[in-house]
Amino acid sequence: MATPPAAWLTVQTTTDSEEKAQALARGVVEARLAACAQISAPVTSVYHWQNAVETAEEWQVLFKTRAERYDELEEHLRAAHDYDTPEIIATPIVRGSARYLAWVTDQTSSAVAL
């Protein structure tokens, strides 16, 4: 028996300044593509880029959204992000508080009154 796809996701991206992280978070939440965004303190990222191993300080932004909003969220992040290849990864939410997930659903509906 196949597991049904998750109805909700956490979507993560990173950027190189707190100000950019706040702008990405605010833009996504204002567009109702995510119910909320959490910005983590700086992390150290180590990665391959243009044939070299790079180390950089980055800020992680974690969004809570419905799976059906993912494509729009990814498109928004690609347009708003200044990285050539931004990290945009989604993780399914397989369980959660029913009240919280209902809130995520409500807040990512285009029909919500402002």
Side-chain angles (χ1 to χ4, degrees), residues 37-74:
Q38 295 170 314
I39 301 168
S40 296
V43 297
T44 301
S45 296
V46 180
Y47 54 93
H48 279 279
W49 186 251
Q50 298 179 344
N51 298 320
V53 174
E54 301 286 339
T55 302
E57 183 176 76
E58 294 186 299
W59 280 255
Q60 294 177 326
V61 186
L62 186 65
F63 302 97
K64 310 320 184 314
T65 192
R66 290 180 292 140
E68 65 190 52
R69 299 305 304 262
Y70 176 81
D71 291 337
E72 292 172 275
L73 174 55
E74 180 180 341

Side-chain angles (χ1 to χ4, degrees), residues 64-94:
K64 310 320 184 314
T65 192
R66 290 180 292 140
E68 65 190 52
R69 299 305 304 262
Y70 176 81
D71 291 337
E72 292 172 275
L73 174 55
E74 180 180 341
E75 183 178 327
H76 179 95
L77 289 173
R78 286 177 176 273
H81 213 295
D82 65 345
Y83 283 14
D84 291 338
T85 308
E87 171 188 3
I88 303 171
I89 56 173
T91 304
I93 297 174
V94 295

Side-chain angles (χ1 to χ4, degrees), residues 7-11 32-36 63-70 73 93 104-105 108:
W8 303 276
L9 302 171
T10 59
V11 178
R32 298 221 176 255
L33 298 173
C36 69
F63 302 97
K64 310 320 184 314
T65 192
R66 290 180 292 140
E68 65 190 52
R69 299 305 304 262
Y70 176 81
L73 174 55
I93 297 174
V104 170
T105 299
T108 56

